[in-house]
Structure formats: structure tokens, C-alpha cells
């Protein structure tokens, strides 16, 4: 979400006449979007700003934006008294105006709720994919999570605005959208017309010229038959579900206020796999939540082993101020959190490798999304399960769906070669490129 917002803000600033620079010493304005999900992320943004406070002497405007700004508001000035701007994620659209009015003599603080917290998308040339925030905030209050405090109450974006934005972007060349929300399944719950997330996905799928639709993140409690059916029936929708489990122990899930049981989670996974046997399922796991015993941890390991996720994001519990869990004793030592983290990581690496290896020799339909940053002779795309695929081809393939035969995999990416007869059918040309 922060990434999507910073991209939108960057484009908005460029439209307002600002220029981007990679050299901080040439900048007139330095703004950092801060994440507060874990202490480590927060430390990173605070130390970035502290290490650049000397720029202020040269008249540079310094700003802290995003979740960290909203969470602490003006209190952050005790640590960062040199800031000119403190602006939460619900007010990013006013940054161009704030910068125009910023004299450097007074501190501008914009935090809290906003009726229209969404920043409009401005397409750039050659963009194939686009992230589309559809909700802001979250009402779930999982006991460890700072998001409801940092981003505020759930706010669904108007469907007309979403559809208009996607249609307009598709006209400019966008082929794939990822709908973003802390819990996408809650889309529409704050509106009154009964229109829900599955309805939105179906309506977006009707847009001509759009080839792929993905979404993040699904909450196990709210992922039901309707959205799974929609995924199964719409060929454009990625067969991928990111559905955080957090823990394999019901005792810990209850303490986390996650509102589902392990059994319910497994049922959702089973239903998804029955409807879409090829579905890729990824998840988040947290180790070392207050009260997590070795036995609770073992239960998580069992579910990881049994479920065989395509990929897992594993986190060590980090106490966050103002959350319910902050009042609980952080009773797992750092080394023990590291040990548990490593056990699950090793277990998952093996599973992910096995799943990726099973693609070898198979052919995938891949939407060619971008040129690889690491190797400009390579194109990176995604197959229908949302798994990244790298292959060699020239850039006239970008935005097209092509057949790629998988040869192997590296660092979570499938590597393959493009099927030439498919290119000929599409009237495209493949030029062998050689590395100089
Ligand atoms: N400590 C560690 N991990 C956290 N997450 C959220 N809050 C915390 C925290 N306080 C993890 C959850 C969530 C992912 C985005 O970040 O696993 O799903
Ligand atoms: Fe945080 Fe829970 Fe909301 Fe996810 S659903 S953003 S973990 S409070």
C-alpha cells in the first residue's frame, strides 16, 4: 500500500511541476513515507530523516508521510524537531498544495481521517501493470496490529471512481491491475448498497482490453464462496490468494483477535483448491506472539507442512505502541524468535522449491509486464497463478500474453523460453539478443 501510494504521489508531484532526483543533495524537498508495521521498519525511516537533518540548513523542506506520521502526529516532533511536514496516509493528495504553501517557517501537520483519502492515478507511458487501492484503513483491530491506528477506519473507495480510473488506465495501455486493501473482502462494508468485493471484481473483469486482475490481502474470516466462485469463473482473475494465517494455534489466534480458527482457515484453503486446483496460495506467519509456547509454535509448523503454501512471509512479533498486545508481556526472547523464524523459513524454502520445480517442462500463459532490472535482455511477467516468470525476448512483447515453456527456477522466479510458434500466431517477432 505504501509503495502504491508513493508511486501515485510521485506522479502527482511530477504533474504539478516537480522533478524527481536520485541525488538527495540536489533535492529542494525530501519526503519519506514511513511504515510502522514493525519497529524495524519504523527505525529505518526515522534514522533516514535524522541522518539527513543537515539538509535543512540549506533550505531543504523535510517531510515525514504515511503511517508513521499519522500514528504519532505532532509527538514525532520531539524526536524529529527539524521536520516541516507531518502528513498521514489519508492526506497525501494535498501534498502538492502543502509544498506550494510551505515556507519552512511553520510546521504543517495533516493527520487523521479524510473524506476522500485516495490519490488519483496518473498513467505513464509503457506502464503495463497498476496497483489500485480500493479501501483505506481497517476496522479489524488484530491485537498486534498498528494499521487501524496508523491508517484509521475502513473507507471504501467509490466504485464509480475505481471503474473510471481502471477504464481510463486501460485506454492508456494498462493490462493488469492489482486491487489493494488491508482486507479487500471488507470492500463495501461501510457503504449501504450491498455491493461487495466480488461484485467489484466481476465488474472490473468486464472492462475490454484489461487482461489480468489480482488483489491483496484476503482475510481468512471473510473469504467465502462468493469471491472464490468469482475467481474461478473469471478467466482474467489471477488464481492466487494471499491469505495470512498468522498462527497454527487457536489459542494464539484468539489472543491475536483474528476471529477465525485453524479449522476454518483450512476449510477456506480446501474450498479454494477444490474450485481452482491450480491456485497458488501464499500467507503470512508471525512467530513469538505473547504467550506462544513451543507447543503453539509446533502447531504452526504442522499447518505449514500440511498446507504447502506457494510462498510465506514470516515475521517476528514486534510490539507496537497503542495496540492491545502492547499491554501483554513480550515473553519470547529475541534468539528464540529467530530460531522459530528460521525453522519455518527452512521448511517453506523446501516446499516452495518443490512447487516451483513441478513447473519444469510445462507451458504457462504469461503476461509480459516489464524489462528485468537485473538483466535488460530479460522480460519479467506473471503466469495465471501470479508467479513471476523470466524469459528472453524483445520489448515489443510487453503487455501481451505469450506462451512460455518453463526450464527451471531461480530465487522464486520461474525461468523459461518463449514458444516461437505462438509469437508467429500473434504476428510478433522474436529477436535473439546476445549479451555484449
Ligand atoms: N509484529 C510482527 N509482524 C506483524 N505484522 C503485522 N503486525 C505485526 C507486528 N506487530 C505482520 C502480519 C501481517 C503482515 C503484513 O505483517 O503477519 O499479516
Ligand atoms: Fe492489521 Fe488485522 Fe487489519 Fe490486517 S486485518 S491490517 S492484520 S488489523
Amino acid at each position: 500500500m505504501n509503495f502504491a501510494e508513493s508511486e501515485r504521489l510521485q506522479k502527482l508531484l511530477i504533474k504539478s511541476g516537480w522533478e524527481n532526483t536520485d541525488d538527495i543533495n540536489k533535492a529542494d524537498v525530501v519526503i519519506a513515507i514511513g511504515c510502522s508495521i514493525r519497529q524495524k521498519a519504523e527505525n529505518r525511516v526515522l534514522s533516514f530523516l535524522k541522518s539527513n537533518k543537515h539538509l535543512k540548513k540549506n533550505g531543504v523542506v523535510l517531510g515525514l508521510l504515511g503511517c508513521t506520521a499519522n500514528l504519532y502526529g505532532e509527538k514525532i516532533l520531539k524526536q524529529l524537531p527539524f521536520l516541516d511536514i507531518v502528513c498521514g496516509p489519508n492526506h497525501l493528495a494535498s501534498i502538492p498544495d502543502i509544498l506550494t504553501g510551505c515556507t519552512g517557517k511553520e510546521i504543517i501537520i495533516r493527520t487523521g481521517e479524510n473524506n476522500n483519502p485516495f490519490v488519483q492515478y496518473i498513467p505513464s507511458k509503457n506502464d503495463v501493470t497498476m496497483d489500485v487501492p480500493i479501501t483505506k484503513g481497517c476496522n479489524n483491530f488484530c491485537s498486534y496490529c498498528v494499521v487501524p491506528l496508523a491508517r484509521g477506519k475502513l473507507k471504501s473507495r467509490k466504485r464509480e471512481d475505481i471503474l473510471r480510473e481502471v477504464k481510463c488506465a486501460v485506454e492508456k495501455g494498462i493490462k493488469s491491475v492489482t486491487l489493494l486493501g488491508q482486507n479487500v473482502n471488507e470492500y463495501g462494508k461501510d457503504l449501504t448498497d450491498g455491493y461487495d468485493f466480488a461484485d467489484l471484481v466481476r465488474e472490473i473483469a468486464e472492462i475490454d482490453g484489461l487482461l489480468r486482475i489480482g488483489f491483496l490481502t484476503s482475510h481468512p474470516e471473510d473469504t467465502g464462496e462468493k469471491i472464490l466462485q468469482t475467481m474461478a469463473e473469471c478467466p482474467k482473475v489471477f488464481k492466487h490468494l494471499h491469505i495470512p494465517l498468522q498462527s497454527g494455534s487457536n489459542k494464539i489466534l484468539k489472543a491475536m483477535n483474528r476471529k477465525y480458527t485453524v479449522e476454518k482457515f483450512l476449510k477456506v484453503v480446501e474450498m479454494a483448491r477444490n474450485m481452482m486446483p491450480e491456485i497458488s496460495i501464499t500467507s503470512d506467519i508471525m512467530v513469538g506472539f505473547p504467550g506462544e509456547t513451543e507447543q503453539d509454535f509446533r502447531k504452526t509448523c504442522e499447518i505449514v507442512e500440511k498446507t504447502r503454501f506457494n510462498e510465506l512471509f514470516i515475521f517476528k512479533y514486534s510490539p507496537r505502541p497503542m495496540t492491545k498486545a502492547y499491554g501483554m508481556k513480550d515473553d519470547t526472547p529475541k534468539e528464540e524468535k529467530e530460531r522459530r523464524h528460521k525453522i519455518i523459513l527452512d521448511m517453506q524454502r523446501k516446499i516452495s522449491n518443490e512447487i516451483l520445480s513441478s513447473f519444469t517442462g510445462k507451458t504457462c500463459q504469461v503476461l509480459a509486464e516489464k524489462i528485468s532490472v537485473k538483466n535488460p535482455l530479460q522480460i519479467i511477467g506473471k503466469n495465471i497463478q501470479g508467479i513471476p516468470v523470466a524469459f528472453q525476448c524483445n520489448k515489443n512483447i510487453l503487455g501481451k500474453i505469450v506462451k512460455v515453456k518453463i526450464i527451471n527456477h531461480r530465487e522464486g522466479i520461474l525461468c523459461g523460453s518463449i514458444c516461437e510458434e505462438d509469437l508467429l500466431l500473434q504476428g510478433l517477432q522474436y529477436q535473439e539478443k546476445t549479451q555484449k
Side-chain angles (χ1 to χ4, degrees), residues 109-387:
I109 298 177
R110 294 276 159 83
T111 52
E113 302 289 343
N114 181 1
N115 255 346
N116 188 6
F118 299 95
V119 184
Q120 211 63 32
Y121 183 80
I122 302 162
S124 346
K125 244 173 91 191
N126 301 330
D127 281 354
V128 174
T129 64
M130 160 196 192
D131 292 330
V132 185
I134 59 163
T135 65
K136 284 277 170 97
C138 182
N139 290 349
N140 282 316
F141 289 93
C142 299
S143 63
Y144 52 79
C145 186
V146 83
V147 169
L149 303 151
R151 289 188 162 267
K153 281 198 285 230
L154 171 79
K155 181 133 194 89
S156 299
R157 195 167 177 199
K158 279 196 207 135
R159 83 206 229 207
E160 307 85 73
D161 290 356
I162 300 173
L163 290 163
R164 195 182 318 114
E165 184 173 281
V166 176
K167 276 183 196 154
C168 177
V170 169
E171 275 163 24
K172 298 241 162 70
I174 290 287
K175 302 287 182 199
S176 175
V177 294
T178 304
L179 309 176
L180 296 181
Q182 250 63 48
N183 171 4
V184 283
N185 309 99
E186 284 202 309
Y187 177 80
K189 282 196 180 163
D190 55 330
L191 306 173
T192 48
D193 58 1
Y195 185 86
D196 68 9
F197 179 57
D199 298 328
L200 179 70
V201 172
R202 262 189 211 277
E203 208 168 344
I204 293 177
E206 280 166 20
I207 298 175
D208 275 342
L210 182 68
L211 302 178
R212 290 282 179 262
I213 303 162
F215 51 83
L216 283 173
T217 291
S218 300
H219 193 297
E221 173 59 14
D222 306 312
T223 304
E225 206 171 331
K226 185 171 174 188
I227 184 61
L228 295 176
Q229 197 70 42
T230 304
M231 288 173 79
E233 284 172 10
C234 296
K236 290 181 184 181
V237 178
F238 280 113
K239 306 304 175 247
H240 169 226
L241 209 53
H242 182 69
I243 186 163
L245 167 66
Q246 312 297 2
S247 169
S249 154
N250 283 335
K251 179 192 100 188
I252 297 297
L253 287 178
K254 193 152 191 271
M256 286 176 164
N257 192 28
R258 287 290 286 175
K259 302 183 190 116
Y260 56 86
T261 58
V262 176
E263 293 70 28
K264 154 93 192 200
F265 180 89
L266 293 175
K267 267 207 186 108
V268 176
V269 169
E270 192 188 340
M271 190 162 41
R273 285 181 170 159
N274 281 339
M275 287 181 180
M276 295 163 277
E278 79 277 36
I279 195 168
S280 141
I281 300 185
T282 57
S283 193
D284 294 345
I285 293 285
M286 195 189 304
V287 295
F289 183 80
E292 185 187 75
T293 60
E294 180 64 22
Q295 205 187 6
D296 295 315
F297 171 65
R298 285 285 147 207
K299 285 184 184 165
T300 304
C301 294
E302 252 173 58
I303 304 297
V304 168
E305 193 80 63
K306 182 165 152 188
T307 311
R308 292 182 67 79
F309 296 105
N310 286 65
E311 207 181 331
L312 267 188
F313 301 88
I314 311 155
F315 306 103
K316 289 168 252 175
Y317 169 69
S318 163
R320 303 313 295 130
M322 297 173 252
T323 61
K324 186 146 180 253
Y326 198 64
M328 304 175 190
K329 190 163 178 250
D330 182 18
D331 51 1
T332 308
K334 192 168 163 269
E335 303 71 41
E336 181 55 21
K337 282 184 189 164
E338 266 156 25
R339 186 188 73 91
R340 292 181 190 178
H341 183 273
K342 186 171 181 319
I343 291 174
I344 301 204
L345 190 67
D346 290 346
M347 194 185 279
Q348 182 57 37
R349 272 205 186 123
K350 190 166 164 279
I351 297 169
S352 295
N353 271 326
E354 284 165 7
I355 296 175
L356 289 172
S357 298
S358 72
F359 280 89
T360 302
K362 290 188 183 150
T363 301
C364 300
Q365 298 271 354
V366 178
L367 172 66
E369 291 186 353
K370 57 183 179 202
I371 298 168
S372 159
V373 182
K374 282 190 192 160
N375 176 357
L377 301 182
Q378 258 187 351
I379 301 286
I380 308 282
K382 278 202 195 97
N383 71 2
I384 193 67
Q385 287 116 320
I387 303 173

Side-chain angles (χ1 to χ4, degrees), residues 47-67:
S47 66
F48 168 79
L49 286 167
K50 280 178 194 162
S51 66
N52 284 300
K53 71 172 181 195
H54 62 278
L55 296 173
K56 176 102 178 163
K57 282 204 297 282
N58 313 334
V60 173
V61 169
L62 288 170
L64 171 65
L65 275 49
C67 291

Side-chain angles (χ1 to χ4, degrees), residues 14-67:
I14 289 170
K15 194 180 165 216
S16 318
W18 293 88
E19 245 177 78
N20 216 346
T21 172
D22 287 335
D23 182 354
I24 199 162
N25 296 310
K26 287 193 183 141
D28 298 311
V29 175
V30 173
I31 44 185
I33 297 203
C35 170
S36 277
I37 195 94
R38 283 169 289 277
Q39 188 65 50
K40 211 168 153 189
E42 195 174 285
N43 291 350
R44 207 179 307 155
V45 70
L46 299 184
S47 66
F48 168 79
L49 286 167
K50 280 178 194 162
S51 66
N52 284 300
K53 71 172 181 195
H54 62 278
L55 296 173
K56 176 102 178 163
K57 282 204 297 282
N58 313 334
V60 173
V61 169
L62 288 170
L64 171 65
L65 275 49
C67 291

